[in-house]
Every structure is written in C-alpha cells, then in structure tokens.
Amino acid sequence: MASKKGKKTVQVAEGGEEKIQRLGPNVQEGELVFAVAHILATFNDTFIHITDLSGRETLVRVTGGMKVKADREESSPYAAMLAASDVVNRLKELRINALHIKLRARGGVQSKNPGPGAQAALRALARFGMKIGRIEDVTPVPTDSTKRDGGRRGRRL
C-alpha cells in the first residue's frame, strides 16, 4: 500500500512483516547529495529542470507556465518561485538536499540576458532549504554565426 505522496512504499512479505522502501539514495544524517539544476530563463517562460550529476536522468522538470494561468505571467518571478517550490518538494521526497546551478538565457543571436524569473528561481531554491554548490552561466555565445536581425543599419528606434 503506497502513501499519498509516494514517499514510502510499504510491502507486506510472506512472513507478515512490513518492509519500507524509500526513494533516492541511502544517506546518513548531514550528508550532502547533489543534483544539477538547469534553469532556462527567457522573457516568455522559466524552466527549472533537475537532473542527476551526469545530466542523463531527469529527476523533476517544472516550468513557470505550469504554475500560472495567464500567458503573460509565465516568465514572472512569482511563477518561478512557485515552480521552485514544487521542485524542492519533489527533491525532498528523493532525499536530494544540494544543487549545482546551471543558469541559461536564450543566447545565440537572441538575448544573452536571463529573464526575470532567473534570480527569483535561484533565491527560492535556496530559501526552501536546498544547499547551493556551484553556480555557472551556460548561455550559448556564438563564435561566428548567422546574421542577427536588424539589417545593415541596425534596428532603428
């Protein structure tokens, strides 16, 4: 019989004894278990994607658009905070208590500045009890690429 949140699974063995199965790694008290938080903050949405250290396995992925109804609020700091809250709750179930942060803006020939939800998401992760390891900016920067919008004389205001 599984509990509401899925934290523990209780199985009854043949002898009638109950065996509790927990999610996540076996850790001692005070030991840090790291994962990687990939935060993509654009001006239209904020994605918080948590993977294991190799980046191969997704543990949880929440966006600002999943938390608010209005399209214009998807990238807001409030939506990023709500998304970070959901992420932390799921990570606590998996017994992960520390994160390395990889922050990313749209990049390329688009904006290289992160959106408004980036800082709010990072602060919320720290405030809700996650230990923060390294913070890295992984915004793609072109070395030489296709021509940017605006033409020869640039965007005229």
Side-chain angles (χ1 to χ4, degrees), residues 93-114:
E93 287 177 16
L94 296 172
R95 295 194 284 180
I96 291 173
N97 53 12
L99 292 172
H100 293 302
I101 309 289
K102 290 191 174 186
L103 186 62
R104 180 181 187 271
R106 179 61 78 196
V109 294
Q110 276 99 24
S111 173
K112 288 155 192 72
N113 300 327

Side-chain angles (χ1 to χ4, degrees), residues 4-75:
K4 259 191 209 174
K5 285 191 170 183
K7 286 185 182 179
K8 303 176 201 171
T9 307
V10 178
Q11 296 175 341
V12 178
E14 294 169 8
E17 70 225 23
E18 289 186 0
K19 189 177 179 183
I20 297 176
Q21 201 174 26
R22 292 182 178 263
L23 299 174
N26 293 326
V27 294
Q28 278 117 29
E29 192 67 33
E31 188 177 348
L32 294 179
V33 181
F34 275 93
V36 180
H38 304 268
I39 300 175
L40 168 62
T42 68
F43 288 96
N44 290 324
D45 207 347
T46 303
F47 293 78
I48 304 175
H49 186 173
I50 309 292
T51 64
D52 59 350
L53 285 176
S54 67
R56 282 179 180 238
E57 188 173 348
T58 297
L59 302 175
V60 59
R61 185 185 71 237
V62 183
T63 69
M66 292 164 66
K67 299 281 111 196
V68 292
K69 295 288 182 200
D71 289 344
R72 68 179 180 274
E73 293 173 354
E74 289 178 359
S75 65

Side-chain angles (χ1 to χ4, degrees), residues 81-152:
M81 273 177 43
L82 293 179
S85 156
D86 271 19
V87 164
V88 170
N89 290 338
R90 177 65 179 146
L91 289 178
K92 285 186 178 172
E93 287 177 16
L94 296 172
R95 295 194 284 180
I96 291 173
N97 53 12
L99 292 172
H100 293 302
I101 309 289
K102 290 191 174 186
L103 186 62
R104 180 181 187 271
R106 179 61 78 196
V109 294
Q110 276 99 24
S111 173
K112 288 155 192 72
N113 300 327
Q119 189 172 358
L122 184 54
R123 286 181 55 131
L125 286 172
R127 182 166 291 169
F128 290 132
M130 288 286 125
K131 301 273 188 281
I132 304 297
R134 306 206 178 264
I135 302 174
E136 185 181 358
D137 183 17
V138 293
T139 302
V141 179
T143 51
D144 192 14
S145 65
T146 58
K147 193 170 178 185
R148 191 173 181 153
D149 287 344
R152 179 179 162 90

